[in-house]
């Protein structure tokens, strides 16, 4: 097999990696905010439940969670999980990352001084207006570095879907490597991950810089 | 009818009663200073009057409309529509400004009138520019709070409060976070407002300022109003607690 063919096959797998990454991000970033609201809820049962959820998400391996999301419906209800793998992966990754993002948002929101809320109240802002116009923009700036960290981890964590035999870049690399008895595809996959993360880090840094107009 | 009536309010934090039956009436155009040592309850009065704190007992009435009433710890607020209107009767200038750091000077002043109070944008901007000029900040409208001195920040905060055209403006130790030079520039601005006959209630540690600017001075001592009257009546009263308090100042 020529190097070019190998790279083309790897790129195909890379496409899957990118799709899982983007979908997880698009779902988990807002979902994390929802989880934060649940955790901050004044309804004790809600906040307690959300706390347990966050604790489990952070306290068990994502790989195990993916296995449970995918095989769970079959073992529990004998459901046909034939076409369900991709959905299970996106649910598993999103729900896991939302828990991390929720905690990042919490640290950001709790670091906003009480005076900001009081000034907004005096000026007549409703609770929702205060959150959207005053608090959230400041929180985004504060949490940016932590979010960047998490996003970079997500790029690498997409390879965990290998555990449910989903074919993405790492799976392709391992297949080719075994079949052709060469280490090259594994190294090439590493280079792809690395370049992707360099780009992600660069983009996040640009956003951070753009938010640097005040401190 | 008084612009503001604070009727017999009481407030405790835990076991500590900070306000013990306080009544203050403020008429339109009046300038009232509240003085007293730290912990005597001055700031808490403003925080109760502006609904930042709940009250345990008593009532707060603006323009004859009851904003909040408490009996034995049970609070009754005005309906939410009334509350919003009543909320527009007063503004508060904080000790540490509480400007919005992510918003320019102009946005800090105009955002609430436009977004919250749905006023005409051009009109609000024109008023804001006039206010900034009055505050000697005409060239700072595009600056961010972090680029300003403390005195400039406080003047922006005053402009922000005035942009909503409140009937009464509260000042919570507006110069306590500033050095003497910046204090002077902020006090000069507040004096300028006095000439416009804006009703003001000022909690301050600047005794000369309180004496010069006020129609009425209230001396707070351990959660009670110990003295109330014209600056001359209060400062020349010979009251032992006040003399002791003022003595700490001249040292």
């Amino acid at each position: 097999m020529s190097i070019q063919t190998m790279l083309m096959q790897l790129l195909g797998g890379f496409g899957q990696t990118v799709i899982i990454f983007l979908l997880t991000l698009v779902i988990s970033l807002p979902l994390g905010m929802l989880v934060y609201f649940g955790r901050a809820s004044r309804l004790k049962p809600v906040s307690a439940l959300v706390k347990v959820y966050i604790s489990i998400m952070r306290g068990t391996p994502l790989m195990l969670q993916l296995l449970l999301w995918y095989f769970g419906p079959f073992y529990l209800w004998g459901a046909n999980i034939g076409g369900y793998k991709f959905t299970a992966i996106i649910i598993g990754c999103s729900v896991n990352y939302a828990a991390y993002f929720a905690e990042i948002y919490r640290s950001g929101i709790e670091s906003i001084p009480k005076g900001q809320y009081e000034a907004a109240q005096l000026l007549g802002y409703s609770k929702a207006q205060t959150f959207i116009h005053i608090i959230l923009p400041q929180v985004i700036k504060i949490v940016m570095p932590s979010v960047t960290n998490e996003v970079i981890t997500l790029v690498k964590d997409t390879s965990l879907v290998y555990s449910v035999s989903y074919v993405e870049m790492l799976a392709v690399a391992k297949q080719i490597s075994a079949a052709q008895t060469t280490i090259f595809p594994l190294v090439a996959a590493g280079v792809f991950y690395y370049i992707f993360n360099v780009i992600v880090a660069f983009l996040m840094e640009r956003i951070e810089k753009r938010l640097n107009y005040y401190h | 009818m008084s612009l503001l009536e604070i009727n017999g309010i009481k407030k405790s934090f835990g076991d500590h009663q900070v306000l013990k039956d306080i009544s203050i009436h403020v008429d339109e155009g009046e300038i009232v200073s509240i003085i007293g040592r730290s912990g005597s309850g001055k700031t808490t009065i403003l925080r109760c009057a502006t609904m930042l704190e709940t009250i345990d007992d008593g009532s707060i009435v603006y323009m004859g409309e009851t904003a909040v009433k408490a009996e034995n710890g049970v609070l009754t607020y005005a309906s939410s529509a009334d509350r919003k209107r009543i909320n527009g009767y007063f503004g508060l200038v904080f000790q540490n400004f509480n400007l919005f750091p992510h918003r320019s000077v102009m946005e800090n002043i105009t955002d609430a009138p436009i977004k919250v109070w749905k006023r005409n944008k051009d009109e609000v901007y024109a008023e804001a520019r006039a206010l900034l000029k009055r505050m000697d900040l005409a060239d700072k409208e595009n600056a961010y709070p972090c680029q300003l001195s403390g005195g400039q920040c406080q003047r922006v905060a005053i402009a922000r409060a005035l942009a909503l055209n409140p009937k009464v403006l509260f000042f919570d130790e507006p110069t306590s976070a500033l050095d003497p030079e910046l204090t002077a520039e902020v006090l000069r601005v507040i004096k300028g407002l006095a000439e416009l006959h804006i009703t003001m209630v000022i909690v301050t540690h600047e005794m000369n300022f309180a004496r010069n600017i006020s129609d009425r001075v209230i001396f707070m001592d351990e959660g009670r109003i110990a003295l109330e009257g014209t600056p001359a009546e209060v400062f020349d009263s010979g009251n032992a607690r006040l003399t002791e308090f003022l003595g700490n100042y001249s040292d």
Side-chain angles (χ1 to χ4, degrees):
Chain A
M1 188 187 278
S2 73
I3 284 182
Q4 207 178 356
T5 322
M6 283 187 206
L7 285 177
M8 287 314 288
Q9 287 185 5
L10 277 176
L11 260 176
F14 183 65
Q16 291 303 310
T17 297
V18 173
I19 288 171
I20 294 168
F21 167 78
L22 285 178
L23 267 178
T24 301
L25 209 56
V26 165
I27 296 170
S28 63
L29 280 171
L31 187 62
M33 191 52 85
L34 209 65
V35 173
Y36 162 74
F37 285 134
R39 195 187 183 299
S41 170
R42 256 176 284 178
L43 299 169
K44 280 271 145 46
V46 174
S47 70
L49 207 68
V50 172
K51 253 168 129 168
V52 170
Y53 151 71
I54 291 173
S55 168
I56 292 173
M57 288 297 121
R58 300 204 300 181
T60 60
L62 175 55
M63 193 189 280
L64 176 69
Q65 291 171 22
L66 287 171
L67 290 169
L68 287 172
W69 279 110
Y70 180 46
F71 294 114
F74 172 71
Y75 287 126
L76 290 174
W77 305 294
N80 175 7
I81 54 173
Y84 161 71
K85 193 183 282 179
F86 184 73
T87 314
I89 287 167
I90 298 302
I91 293 176
C93 289
S94 300
V95 162
N96 177 277
Y97 269 79
Y100 284 93
F101 285 135
E103 286 299 284
I104 291 174
Y105 297 155
R106 187 171 67 92
S107 70
I109 290 167
E110 285 178 357
S111 73
I112 302 292
K114 210 171 123 224
Q116 293 288 305
Y117 292 92
E118 294 184 344
Q121 185 187 329
L122 258 296
L123 294 170
Y125 289 85
S126 67
K127 288 222 163 84
Q129 285 172 325
T130 302
F131 186 74
I132 291 165
H133 298 299
I134 310 300
I135 306 303
L136 194 58
Q138 298 184 56
V139 168
I140 289 172
K141 178 182 163 83
I142 294 170
V143 301
M144 232 25 223
S146 312
V147 168
T148 302
N149 242 333
E150 219 47 54
V151 170
I152 285 173
T153 306
L154 174 60
V155 172
K156 295 175 290 183
D157 274 1
T158 53
S159 63
L160 292 175
V161 304
Y162 173 69
S163 60
V164 291
S165 315
Y166 190 81
V167 181
E168 43 66 73
M169 185 166 59
L170 188 65
V172 174
K174 193 158 178 268
Q175 271 168 21
I176 304 174
S177 181
Q180 309 286 324
T181 55
T182 161
I183 198 169
F184 172 76
L186 294 174
V187 175
V191 171
F192 274 122
Y193 279 119
Y194 181 73
I195 290 173
F196 188 31
N197 260 333
V198 167
I199 294 169
V200 167
F202 171 77
L203 290 176
M204 297 301 273
E205 202 177 310
R206 282 216 11 198
I207 300 174
E208 268 183 56
K209 274 206 181 117
R210 194 166 287 183
L211 292 171
N212 259 347
Y213 65 91
Y214 76 93
H215 51 254
Chain B
M1 183 182 73
S2 296
L3 199 168
L4 164 66
E5 294 171 30
I6 295 174
N7 301 312
I9 61 168
K10 293 177 189 161
K11 175 71 185 175
S12 299
F13 293 112
D15 291 337
H16 179 54
Q17 194 171 20
V18 185
L19 298 180
K20 301 163 183 164
D21 198 5
I22 299 287
S23 294
I24 297 172
H25 290 206
V26 180
D27 288 322
E28 196 137 15
E30 244 192 326
I31 297 174
V32 179
S33 291
I34 305 176
I35 60 170
R37 59 170 59 78
S38 300
S40 61
K42 309 180 300 287
T43 292
T44 308
I45 293 179
L46 292 199
R47 291 181 59 83
C48 289
T50 54
M51 320 278 160
L52 291 178
E53 296 286 355
T54 56
I55 51 177
D56 300 334
D57 219 328
S59 69
I60 291 164
V61 181
Y62 284 93
M63 313 281 292
E65 298 180 64
T66 303
V68 59
K69 187 170 74 180
E71 266 167 305
N72 306 315
V74 182
L75 288 164
T76 323
Y77 287 99
S79 72
S80 70
D82 288 343
R83 262 185 92 180
K84 177 154 186 191
R85 189 180 59 247
I86 294 168
N87 199 49
Y89 292 157
F90 55 80
L92 173 62
V93 174
F94 296 86
Q95 181 177 341
N96 51 0
F97 335 131
N98 289 336
L99 291 177
F100 304 134
H102 60 303
R103 294 293 182 79
S104 71
V105 165
M106 198 55 165
E107 290 165 341
N108 261 283
I109 298 171
T110 56
D111 194 64
I114 294 169
K115 279 216 190 74
V116 178
W117 299 89
K118 310 286 179 210
R119 289 183 47 204
N120 177 278
K121 198 177 164 185
D122 296 331
E123 199 183 291
V124 170
Y125 266 77
E127 275 184 36
R129 293 216 165 85
L131 278 169
L132 282 174
K133 204 169 157 205
R134 169 167 288 282
M135 298 294 148
D136 259 331
L137 293 167
D139 55 335
K140 298 289 185 198
E141 64 173 77
N142 294 318
Y144 284 87
C146 60
Q147 299 164 319
L148 304 178
S149 73
Q152 289 170 327
C153 280
Q154 193 57 296
R155 284 182 281 148
V156 173
I158 294 170
R160 181 173 71 172
L162 284 172
L164 295 174
N165 299 314
K167 299 207 175 290
V168 53
L169 194 51
F170 296 100
F171 291 83
D172 183 13
E173 304 189 19
T175 60
S176 292
L178 305 174
D179 67 32
E181 195 183 9
L182 300 179
T183 295
E185 89 188 26
V186 169
L187 293 184
R188 200 164 53 237
V189 163
I190 299 176
K191 257 187 201 142
L193 299 180
E195 285 156 18
L196 296 176
H197 304 293
I198 293 171
T199 313
M200 295 191 272
V201 178
I202 306 168
V203 168
T204 183
H205 288 296
E206 300 292 328
M207 291 308 137
N208 282 330
F209 173 73
R211 185 191 275 265
N212 291 333
I213 195 177
S214 313
D215 298 312
R216 195 143 50 90
V217 174
I218 292 169
F219 172 55
M220 292 283 299
D221 190 42
E222 292 180 347
R224 291 181 202 284
I225 295 177
L227 284 172
E228 181 173 2
T230 63
E233 281 168 7
V234 170
F235 285 108
D236 304 335
S237 65
N239 177 295
R241 299 288 289 179
L242 180 69
T243 310
E244 189 193 331
F245 170 66
L246 293 176
N248 291 338
Y249 267 85
S250 49
D251 285 346

